[in-house]
């Protein structure tokens, strides 16, 4: 909730799992529209690079919106953020080689993917680009789950202990 974290979950052929933590949210943001260019310029203080994290953590009520994109009414901002989240997700797939898919979790991601913004996310995610076949073949599900990280950790521990418990019995 304080940033955009990312991890690679590498499942080996033998079923072993390795989690590689990354700072993918700190990748440079590249605008794809005039509005995004205006946001980039407003966020670029002192010539600093603007990361995806800075953009995706921008609250829809932040005064920066009014100065950078005065024509983007408050109701439109969540749809713009959802579209940018779709592009960021594809960027993660490209940079991580995550052709088996990506899981987005956290209450901020859930808020960004409400029923009225899913279309913008999906449209941005599925826009034709390099490796479109691989991206299009990646499984896509929406799972509303509270405490997904804790549930995943519990499942991982259960997986880790399952062979040991059955061998001891």
């Amino acid at each position: 909730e304080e940033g955009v974290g990312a991890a690679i979950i590498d499942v080996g052929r033998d079923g072993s799992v390795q989690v590689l933590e990354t700072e993918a949210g700190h990748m440079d943001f590249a605008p794809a529209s005039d509005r995004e260019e205006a946001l980039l310029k407003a966020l670029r203080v002192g010539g600093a690079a603007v990361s995806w994290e800075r953009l995706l953590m921008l609250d829809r009520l932040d005064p920066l919106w009014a100065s950078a994109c005065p024509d983007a009414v408050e109701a439109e901002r969540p749809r713009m953020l959802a579209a940018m989240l779709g592009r960021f997700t594809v960027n993660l797939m490209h940079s991580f080689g995550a052709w088996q898919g990506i899981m987005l979790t956290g209450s901020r991601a859930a808020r960004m993917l409400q029923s009225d913004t899913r279309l913008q996310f999906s449209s941005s995610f599925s826009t034709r680009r390099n490796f479109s076949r691989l991206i299009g073949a990646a499984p896509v599900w929406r799972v509303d789950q509270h405490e997904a990280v804790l549930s995943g950790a519990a499942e991982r521990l259960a997986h880790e202990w399952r062979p040991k418990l059955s061998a001891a019995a």
Side-chain angles (χ1 to χ4, degrees):
E1 296 310 308
E2 295 174 7
V4 179
I8 299 170
I9 303 171
D10 183 25
V11 180
R13 287 192 173 97
D14 62 353
S16 63
V17 176
Q18 184 176 3
V19 178
L20 307 165
E21 297 175 22
T22 75
E23 292 291 342
H26 292 277
M27 292 187 295
D28 291 347
F29 169 71
S33 70
D34 290 340
R35 282 181 168 172
E36 290 180 10
E37 182 72 37
L39 284 171
L40 173 78
K41 287 178 182 175
L43 284 168
R44 185 182 292 146
V45 178
V50 176
S51 68
W52 274 102
E53 180 174 274
R54 287 199 51 212
L55 187 78
L56 294 173
M57 295 303 293
L58 189 62
D59 187 88
R60 67 182 178 86
L61 299 175
D62 192 300
L64 184 94
W65 285 97
S67 62
C69 302
D71 63 325
V73 295
E74 183 184 327
E76 191 177 1
R77 297 169 191 168
R79 292 189 292 272
M80 290 174 62
L81 286 167
M84 288 182 267
L85 181 62
R87 282 199 355 262
F88 175 71
T89 303
V90 171
N91 285 342
L92 281 181
M93 292 182 83
H94 280 249
S95 60
F96 288 1
W99 308 122
Q100 291 353 180
I102 299 245
M103 178 178 85
L104 300 174
T105 186
S107 60
R108 182 145 182 98
R111 285 192 310 272
M112 290 177 81
L113 296 172
Q114 295 294 324
S115 59
D116 61 335
T117 59
R118 288 184 199 158
L119 178 64
Q120 285 77 20
F121 174 86
S122 297
S123 175
S124 180
F125 181 82
S126 60
T127 297
R128 188 154 176 78
R129 56 178 51 91
N130 294 337
F131 301 101
S132 290
R133 287 184 296 156
L134 289 170
I135 292 166
V140 177
W141 299 283
R142 178 176 168 83
V143 178
D144 291 319
Q145 179 181 13
H146 298 287
E147 302 298 339
V149 172
L150 290 176
S151 299
E155 183 63 34
R156 175 69 183 111
L157 286 171
H159 176 75
E160 182 72 28
W161 286 96
R162 194 170 297 133
K164 294 174 184 171
L165 292 175
S166 61

